[in-house]
């Protein structure tokens, strides 16, 4: 190949993207971009600023406060209900009753709501295993920490250890190993040192946060992308109120209606005077009375507030109608679609995350404490082999008739079992069947038979015993 052939070869295609170009129009918009890792981007100082501003808005903005309360009530609610599923029914019932009694004694559902609300508002929250001796023999208790109480010890530098991120020590795979817990909140006003603490094993501390990036070890508030929207909403609300008040404060003003009047500077210019009620007065020649028209709040006020709220709540996956606490601007079909297609997946995903991160470890703590209660675990398998499940409270049903019809078709067509439908509603089929049978004064077997007949239109027949079959097919000799 000669040198001329080299220059005649087709040049490789060099594709480009408009978004990858830095121009005079967009350079200011992208000026704050960086290439930092998750740990470097979410430094303690950055997280602190975002966290305190989120708390401030949650304490002073009704929209934000209501959204947190709605999310907590829908996702946590009364808390998940334990269902033990071992081969020993008596053991299952005994353990469920003991866990339920312990949960009520320490107000477990209330603690779960506090933990999740703090994670939503602050970005993360912590639970530590504790003891309450007055509840002996099952003295297990839980202690909740805010994020400030888990921090790098003041005696060490932040960048001293590559595997420590502001009080969290982890391995090369970002698995938590231990936490440094201050004895008191650093923001407390108590007469002792608030920077004293110690390292605790990760088996004793639970950390709830949402990791959005690989390598992220600490959390930030859920509404961080749109937190700047709230001050704008409040500023517009105050500006609208100020405008309306200014218009209302000037009851009447006088203006000239004649060119012959020569307004001259005088001490009485812009003077204020009292107006008597039911008064008849005479106005000097060449002057008229006027009144400022209150033009606030106008139609743009509600439109701006609605659009700003939609922008704010979008990063939480909460429908705007639910965030606003009213569906007056939505029809039934659209509101139903928002709940089913947007909010329900968010709730179920958050419940699963909370279950794996908090509920399951807490249940293991409970079982480890139950070992020392005489007879509580008798007749059951080892604590690491106790089969169980959690039934979460369902979302409010906005169309009960449609739900009942759909569930009936799902059961009748074999798409799900009646136990699954009960579980989706936060209940247990066996418990519900026993309760209903007792209410009707029949046996559980007769009640189940009646439900089966009503569902499928026939009476279940006993399955005859099947003869034992050989494990491998027998081949007749040739």
């Amino acid at each position: 190949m000669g040198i001329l052939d080299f220059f005649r070869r087709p040049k490789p295609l060099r594709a480009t993207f408009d978004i990858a170009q830095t121009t005079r129009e967009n350079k200011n918009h992208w000026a704050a971009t960086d290439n930092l890792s998750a740990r470097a981007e979410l430094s303690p100082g950055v997280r602190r600023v975002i966290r305190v501003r989120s708390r401030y808005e949650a304490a002073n903005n009704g929209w934000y406060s209501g959204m947190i309360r709605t999310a907590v009530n829908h996702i946590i609610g009364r808390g998940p209900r334990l269902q033990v599923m071992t081969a020993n029914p008596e053991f299952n019932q005994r353990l469920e009753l003991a866990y339920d009694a312990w949960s009520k004694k320490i107000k477990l559902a209330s603690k779960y709501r506090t933990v999740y609300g703090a994670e939503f508002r602050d970005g993360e929250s912590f639970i530590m295993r504790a003891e309450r001796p007055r509840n002996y023999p099952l003295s297990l208790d839980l202690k909740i920490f805010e994020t400030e109480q888990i921090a790098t010890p003041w005696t060490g530098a932040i960048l001293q250890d590559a595997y420590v991120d502001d009080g969290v020590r982890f391995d090369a795979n970002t698995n938590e190993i231990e936490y440094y817990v201050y004895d008191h909140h650093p923001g407390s006003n108590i007469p002792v040192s608030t920077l004293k603490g110690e390292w605790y094993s990760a088996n004793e501390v639970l950390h709830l946060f949402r990791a959005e990036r690989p390598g992220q070890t600490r959390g930030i508030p859920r509404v961080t992308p749109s937190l700047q929207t709230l001050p704008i909403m409040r500023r517009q609300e105050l500006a609208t109120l100020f405008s309306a008040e200014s218009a209302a404060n000037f009851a009447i003003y006088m203006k000239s209606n004649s060119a012959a009047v020569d307004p001259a500077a005088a001490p009485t210019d812009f003077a204020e005077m009292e107006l008597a009620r039911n008064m008849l007065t005479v106005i000097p020649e060449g002057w008229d009375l006027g009144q400022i028209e209150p033009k606030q709040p106008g139609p743009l006020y509600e439109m701006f507030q609605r659009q700003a709220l939609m922008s704010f709540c979008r990063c939480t996956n909460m429908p705007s109608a639910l965030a606003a606490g009213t569906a007056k601007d939505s029809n039934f079909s659209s509101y139903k679609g928002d709940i089913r297609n947007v909010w329900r997946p968010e709730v179920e995903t958050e419940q699963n995350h909370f279950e794996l991160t908090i509920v399951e470890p807490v249940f293991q703590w409970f079982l480890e404490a139950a070992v020392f209660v005489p007879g509580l675990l008798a007749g059951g398998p080892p604590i690491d082999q106790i089969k169980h499940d959690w039934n979460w409270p369902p979302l409010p049903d906005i169309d009960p008739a449609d739900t009942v019809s759909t569930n009936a078709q799902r059961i009748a067509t074999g798409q799900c079992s009646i136990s699954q439908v009960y579980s989706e509603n936060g209940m247990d089929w066996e418990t519900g069947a026993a309760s209903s049978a007792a209410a009707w004064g029949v046996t559980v077997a007769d009640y189940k038979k009646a439900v089966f007949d009503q569902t499928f239109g026939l009476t279940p027949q006993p399955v005859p015993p099947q003869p034992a079959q050989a494990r491998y097919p027998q081949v007749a000799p040739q």
Side-chain angles (χ1 to χ4, degrees):
M1 182 179 65
I3 188 171
L4 294 179
D5 295 331
F6 175 81
F7 286 104
R8 292 193 186 101
R9 288 189 308 171
K11 297 182 179 180
L13 177 63
R14 295 182 178 179
T16 184
F17 296 90
D18 289 342
I19 195 61
Q21 310 303 314
T22 300
T23 64
R24 183 175 57 185
E25 289 78 13
N26 68 8
K27 66 178 182 179
N28 290 333
H29 182 83
W30 304 110
T33 58
D34 57 60
N35 196 32
L36 298 176
S37 66
R39 281 187 59 190
E41 183 183 53
L42 302 178
S43 62
V46 170
R47 290 189 293 106
R48 178 188 178 278
V49 171
I50 300 175
R51 181 173 62 247
V52 297
R53 291 178 179 177
S54 176
R55 287 178 182 169
Y56 179 83
E57 289 298 333
N60 294 277
N61 189 289
W63 298 116
Y64 191 15
S65 177
M67 285 178 56
I68 295 176
R69 182 65 61 86
T70 298
V72 170
N73 290 343
H74 281 185
I75 295 173
I76 303 299
R78 298 188 303 272
R81 188 185 61 81
L82 172 65
Q83 181 181 0
V84 185
M85 300 180 295
T86 68
N88 187 342
E90 190 274 333
F91 170 79
N92 298 345
Q93 185 178 21
R94 186 192 330 132
L95 186 57
E96 290 174 1
L97 292 176
Y99 182 82
D100 182 67
W102 171 77
S103 301
K104 293 178 179 177
K105 186 172 294 185
I106 70 166
K107 299 180 180 179
L108 183 61
S110 179
K111 286 182 168 62
Y112 282 168
R113 289 191 291 268
T114 301
V115 169
Y116 188 79
E119 189 264 347
F120 195 103
R121 180 187 60 251
D122 302 340
E124 55 186 354
S125 56
F126 298 83
I127 292 182
M128 186 174 180
R129 175 158 41 178
E131 295 291 329
R132 184 182 293 187
R134 71 179 185 181
N135 290 342
Y136 179 85
L138 197 55
S139 57
L140 173 66
D141 201 359
L142 303 178
K143 188 176 182 180
I144 304 174
F145 297 104
E146 283 193 317
T147 177
E148 290 91 343
Q149 209 161 339
I150 310 294
T152 298
W154 67 278
T155 56
I158 296 177
L159 302 178
Q160 185 177 7
D161 192 339
Y163 294 105
V164 174
D165 185 8
D166 200 19
V168 181
R169 177 173 282 121
F170 47 88
D171 59 19
N173 298 320
T174 65
N175 298 312
E176 295 86 351
I177 299 176
E178 55 184 355
Y179 299 86
Y180 191 87
V181 183
Y182 286 133
D183 295 340
H184 305 280
H185 194 291
S188 300
N189 56 350
I190 56 178
V192 297
S193 173
T194 58
L195 298 180
K196 181 183 178 182
E198 60 180 294
W199 289 98
Y200 290 88
S201 169
N203 295 328
E204 303 296 322
V205 183
L206 305 179
H207 183 193
L208 179 67
F209 77 105
R210 177 189 285 186
E212 302 286 357
R213 295 182 58 185
Q216 182 177 340
T217 56
R218 300 298 295 261
I220 55 176
R222 191 72 53 84
V223 297
T224 298
S226 58
L227 189 57
Q228 74 277 3
T229 305
L230 295 181
I232 298 175
M233 295 175 66
R234 294 169 64 193
R235 286 168 52 192
Q236 197 230 14
E237 184 177 8
L238 293 176
T240 301
L241 176 62
F242 179 77
S243 177
E245 286 181 340
S246 299
N249 288 336
F250 288 91
I252 295 177
Y253 62 88
M254 295 184 65
K255 64 179 180 178
S256 172
N257 61 7
S258 174
V261 178
D262 184 15
T268 58
D269 288 350
F270 301 101
E272 297 179 359
M273 61 185 69
E274 295 286 343
L275 295 178
R277 184 177 299 176
N278 299 325
M279 175 188 67
L280 177 64
T281 185
V282 178
I283 304 175
E285 183 178 0
W287 297 89
D288 282 337
L289 292 179
Q291 187 174 15
I292 298 178
E293 297 181 6
K295 299 181 179 180
Q296 297 288 350
L300 295 179
Y301 168 77
E302 186 174 357
M303 293 173 59
F304 178 85
Q305 292 286 322
R306 185 188 307 115
Q307 187 63 35
L309 180 62
M310 292 174 60
S311 174
F312 173 70
C313 67
R314 182 63 192 94
C315 60
T316 66
N317 270 353
M318 181 180 292
S320 58
L322 195 62
T326 175
K328 66 182 184 67
D329 297 322
S330 305
N331 57 46
F332 181 75
S333 179
S334 63
Y335 180 73
K336 183 177 178 181
D338 291 342
I339 295 297
R340 288 189 173 183
N341 300 327
V342 180
W343 185 234
R344 177 178 290 178
E346 175 71 15
V347 170
E348 293 176 349
T349 302
E350 287 296 292
Q351 288 176 344
N352 177 260
H353 176 61
F354 193 87
E355 178 180 318
L356 297 178
T357 307
I358 301 296
V359 178
E360 279 293 336
V362 168
F363 181 60
Q364 292 303 313
W365 289 350
F366 170 81
L367 293 177
E368 292 173 7
V371 171
F372 301 98
V373 179
L376 179 55
L377 300 181
I383 61 174
D384 59 341
Q385 299 179 14
I386 296 178
K387 187 178 180 181
H388 62 281
D389 199 2
W390 302 97
N391 297 322
W392 288 86
L395 286 172
D397 198 343
I398 59 178
D399 193 355
D402 178 68
T403 302
V404 171
S405 175
T406 301
N407 288 337
Q409 294 181 15
R410 291 170 61 199
I411 296 174
T413 55
Q415 299 181 49
C416 70
S417 65
I418 193 170
S419 299
Q420 182 179 347
V421 173
Y422 264 73
S423 178
E424 292 173 355
N425 292 322
M427 300 182 293
D428 175 37
W429 159 241
E430 295 297 335
T431 304
S435 176
S436 298
W440 289 102
V442 298
T443 64
V444 176
D446 290 339
Y447 177 79
K448 290 183 176 181
K449 183 184 299 184
V451 172
F452 182 89
D453 183 59
Q454 177 69 25
T455 303
F456 297 101
L458 49 88
T459 302
Q461 301 295 328
V463 179
Q466 300 294 326
Q469 296 182 356
R471 184 174 182 181
Y472 300 101
Q474 300 295 327
V475 180
Q478 299 296 330

